[in-house]
Every structure is written in structure tokens, then in C-alpha cells.
Amino acid sequence: MIEFKNYAESMRELNRLPYDLKNAAVDGIHAALQEWMMEAKKVAPVDTSNLKNEIETEINRAEMAGELISNAYSSTGFNYAYYLHEVGSQKGYRPKKAGKSLEWLKATNDPDRSLATVERTIVQKMRPKGW
């Protein structure tokens, strides 16, 4: 907890609070996306491992939102990650190996787990600052 022994220092800490909280929340979003990416890579279809290697995170700090993006292109420019995930899965295609999913992003998305990770990260980042 912040002690008000030095008023000027205490006011600086209070004025800094929104920035510290936002940075902690962004760190939490990053941690949640990393967890989701690890789970998605486990169930992504395997051929050349390109699908697994091309999953990446994107964070919009202004909106405090993040997403996983999976794009894998063939040598001709065809985005087969999109095709498998959005088209092939709807057409009834099946992965070649057991334990894999054509909807690797949807199948591993767990909003409750992600929210818990963000909350835990905020607490971990803010506790040393006295909050």
C-alpha cells in the first residue's frame, strides 16, 4: 500500500496508476495469448509444421484486445491455413492425424482461462508497486 508520508511522491504514484495498470493489462493479454498459442500449436494439423510456425499474436493496446492469427501460404500464395480452418472444417474435412483439429484456433480458445491469466498478471505486476 502507498503511504502518504511524502505528498508529492504519493501524487506521482497516483498519477502513474493508469499507465501502470494499462501496461500490466497488456502484459496479461500477451501472457494469455502465449498460453492460447501453445495450446493451438498442439492441435494444429501437421504436415510440414508450417501451420504451427505461422501462428502469431497481435495486440491492440488502444482497444486492450489481442488475437491469434494463423496464416500459412503455399509457394503459389494460397493461404491454406485460412482454407483449412474456415472452409475445410465446414466442408467436413478431417485432419490426417488423431488429436489434431482443423479448427485449431477455435478449439483451443478458452476465454475464462485467458481472463484469469490477465487478472493474475495484473495482480503480479501491481503488487510490487504497492497496490
Side-chain angles (χ1 to χ4, degrees):
M1 180 172 297
I2 295 175
E3 296 180 28
F4 287 96
K5 292 179 182 176
N6 181 335
Y7 180 76
E9 179 64 26
S10 297
M11 289 310 296
R12 277 194 295 277
E13 289 292 324
L14 287 173
N15 288 331
R16 179 112 188 101
L17 181 60
Y19 303 105
D20 290 341
L21 273 173
K22 184 169 186 173
N23 289 336
V26 169
D27 289 347
I29 292 169
H30 180 73
L33 288 172
Q34 291 299 313
E35 287 177 359
W36 182 14
M37 184 176 8
M38 288 175 51
E39 293 301 315
K41 286 182 176 187
K42 290 177 188 175
V43 299
V46 177
D47 188 10
T48 62
S49 293
N50 199 30
L51 285 174
K52 291 180 179 192
N53 296 334
E54 296 301 322
I55 299 174
E56 50 190 48
T57 63
E58 186 172 286
I59 296 176
N60 183 330
R61 288 180 64 93
E63 295 180 7
M64 298 300 290
E67 63 183 334
L68 282 188
I69 300 168
S70 184
N71 291 310
Y73 295 93
S74 69
S75 59
T76 61
F78 176 70
N79 187 349
Y80 62 90
Y82 174 82
Y83 183 80
L84 287 175
H85 197 276
E86 301 299 325
V87 179
S89 62
Q90 300 304 310
K91 288 187 173 187
Y93 295 0
R94 300 280 179 242
K96 295 176 184 176
K97 295 185 178 181
K100 303 299 178 183
S101 171
L102 293 184
E103 292 183 317
W104 59 95
L105 297 179
K106 291 177 188 173
T108 55
N109 184 12
D110 185 346
D112 293 333
R113 180 189 67 213
S114 295
L115 181 59
T117 299
V118 172
E119 290 173 348
R120 185 174 55 253
T121 303
I122 290 172
V123 169
Q124 289 171 349
K125 297 285 183 174
M126 295 305 293
R127 187 169 287 140
K129 296 178 184 298
W131 296 98

